């Protein structure tokens, strides 16, 4: 249902508490018979109710009440004020006497608007709106500069910022020192390439020019003056690459300075743990990748 500006102003003033007693009774009567109008009043109460959270009760001082009583004539016995009667001009009295009396009860007041009541009502609404605007400005200022003074429900929510941190870049892996030996009978015919990782002491034997021996196996040996006798590093497999970790038991100096030899043994390797066949290929390690510094 659509309501006039007067009805809306009445609802607003009722929520503000600026109506007279008769006007409040009128609004309450309308609310009891018109649920839509009651909803309008409740909407104004919700809009203006937040001011109660910001304004506390203030008790006037006794001297303020005394000044109010004096201003409205309740401080003592007030004598009636008698105004002197002004003499009426004779001509004007005669004119008035000649005019017939007008019965005001018979006048048509259907097109008469009581502007004084509307002006009073809208002045009250305007005053309330001005107070609301001032409260909102103060609320915004407090929220911006001193939010800790406000109740928890009125404090602004803290802004959350998401910061992306770049993943740490792993330092490049340091190059590991490596050694290589060409196992051969002469410079023109390498048979195997031996590669040793200095960090792990793992080695790999790559077959290059060695011819397979029927019913025989190639076996790799480490020979050093720091060892009592040559030590076997295992049989070289028939594949192109053979990897072992047999050098882990030896000191770096022994590994780097030793001579590496290949013998032809019975299939599966020497049965005695010592070289039984002829030495066919030999070589010493040379450093190909310097150690990390």
């Amino acid at each position: 249902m659509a309501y006039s500006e007067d009805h809306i102003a009445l609802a607003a003033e009722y929520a503000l508490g600026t109506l007279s007693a008769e006007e409040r009774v009128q609004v309450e009567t309308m609310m009891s018979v018109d649920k839509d109008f009651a909803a309008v009043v409740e909407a104004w109460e919700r809009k203006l109710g937040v001011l109660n959270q910001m304004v506390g009760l203030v008790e006037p001082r006794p001297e303020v009440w005394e000044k109010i009583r004096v201003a409205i004539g309740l401080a003592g016995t007030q004598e009636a004020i008698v105004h002197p009667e002004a003499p009426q001009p004779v001509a004007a009295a005669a004119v008035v006497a000649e005019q017939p009396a007008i019965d005001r009860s018979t006048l048509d007041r259907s097109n008469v608007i009581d502007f004084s009541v509307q002006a009073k009502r809208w002045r009250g609404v305007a005053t309330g709106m001005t107070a609301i605007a001032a409260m909102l400005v103060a609320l915004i200022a407090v929220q911006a500069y001193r939010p800790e003074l406000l109740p928890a429900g009125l404090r602004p929510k803290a802004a959350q910022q998401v910061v992306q941190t770049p993943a740490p870049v792993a330092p490049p892996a340091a190059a590991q020192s490596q050694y290589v030996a060409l196992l051969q009978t002469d410079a023109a015919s390498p048979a195997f390439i031996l590669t040793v990782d200095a960090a792990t002491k793992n080695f790999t034997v790559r077959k290059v020019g060695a011819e397979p021996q029927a019913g025989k196996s190639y076996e790799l040996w480490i020979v050093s003056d720091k060892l009592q006798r040559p030590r076997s590093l295992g049989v070289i497999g028939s594949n192109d690459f053979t990897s072992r970790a047999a050098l882990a038991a030896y000191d770096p100096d022994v590994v780097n300075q030793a001579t590496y030899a290949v013998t032809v043994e019975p299939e599966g390797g020497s049965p005695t743990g010592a070289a039984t066949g002829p030495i066919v290929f030999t070589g010493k390690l040379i450093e190909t990748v310097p150690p990390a510094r």
Side-chain angles (χ1 to χ4, degrees), residues 28 34 49 67 94 124 128-129 152 176 197 218 224 231 247 250-251 258 265:
E28 291 171 355
D34 188 348
K67 290 181 180 180
M129 293 298 102
Q176 300 295 334
D197 188 323
Y218 290 111
S224 173
R231 301 287 183 84
L247 290 175
Y250 300 96
D251 292 336
E265 301 293 339

Side-chain angles (χ1 to χ4, degrees), residues 150-183:
L150 296 175
L154 296 178
R155 294 177 185 174
K157 294 182 180 179
Q160 297 182 355
Q161 296 183 350
V162 179
V163 179
Q164 293 184 352
T165 304
V169 179
Q176 300 295 334
S177 178
Q178 289 187 350
Y179 295 83
V180 173
L182 294 178
L183 305 180

Side-chain angles (χ1 to χ4, degrees), residues 79-87:
E79 296 182 356
I81 299 175
V82 179
H83 297 280
E85 295 182 357

Side-chain angles (χ1 to χ4, degrees), residues 95-289:
V95 173
V96 172
E98 294 178 358
Q99 293 179 350
I102 299 176
D103 186 2
R104 295 183 179 275
S105 63
T106 61
L107 294 178
D108 183 8
R109 300 179 59 86
S110 60
N111 60 347
V112 177
I113 301 175
D114 193 348
F115 286 103
S116 62
V117 175
Q118 288 190 353
K120 177 182 177 182
R121 180 170 299 135
W122 284 111
R123 278 198 301 270
V125 174
T127 302
M129 293 298 102
T130 302
I132 292 173
M135 292 292 185
L136 292 177
V137 171
L139 176 62
I140 293 173
V142 174
Q143 284 181 336
Y145 298 102
R146 297 294 300 277
E148 68 276 4
L149 299 179
L150 296 175
L154 296 178
R155 294 177 185 174
K157 294 182 180 179
Q160 297 182 355
Q161 296 183 350
V162 179
V163 179
Q164 293 184 352
T165 304
V169 179
Q176 300 295 334
S177 178
Q178 289 187 350
Y179 295 83
V180 173
L182 294 178
L183 305 180
Q184 55 193 4
T185 56
D186 55 59
S189 55
F192 297 97
I193 298 177
L194 172 66
T195 304
V196 178
D197 188 323
T200 63
K201 295 184 180 179
N202 295 336
F203 70 86
T204 300
V205 179
R206 179 180 180 183
K207 183 170 61 176
V208 180
E211 296 292 336
Q213 300 289 329
K216 300 290 185 179
S217 296
Y218 290 111
E219 189 166 353
L220 180 64
W221 304 82
I222 180 172
V223 181
S224 173
D225 56 1
K226 297 180 181 180
L227 301 174
Q228 294 180 355
R229 58 184 178 82
R231 301 287 183 84
S232 175
L233 299 178
V235 175
I236 300 174
S238 59
N239 297 326
D240 290 340
F241 293 89
T242 300
S243 297
R244 295 280 190 276
L247 290 175
Y250 300 96
D251 292 336
D253 291 341
V254 174
V255 172
N256 297 340
Q257 302 299 325
T259 298
Y260 295 88
V262 177
T263 62
V264 178
E265 301 293 339
E267 187 173 3
S270 172
T272 63
T276 60
I279 298 176
V280 291
F281 308 112
T282 60
K284 294 182 69 69
L285 292 175
I286 59 174
E287 190 175 22
T288 59
V289 178

Side-chain angles (χ1 to χ4, degrees), residues 25-73:
V25 171
Q26 178 185 356
V27 172
E28 291 171 355
T29 303
M30 294 176 62
M31 292 171 59
S32 63
V33 298
D34 188 348
K35 295 182 178 179
D36 293 338
F37 184 72
V40 174
V41 175
E42 292 176 359
W44 276 106
E45 290 176 344
R46 286 194 299 270
K47 293 178 182 178
L48 304 176
V50 295
L51 298 179
N52 292 332
Q53 301 179 8
M54 302 173 57
V55 180
L57 297 176
V58 178
E59 182 67 24
R61 299 190 302 275
E63 56 267 23
V64 176
W65 286 117
E66 185 62 29
K67 290 181 180 180
I68 294 174
R69 285 194 291 270
V70 171
I72 63 177

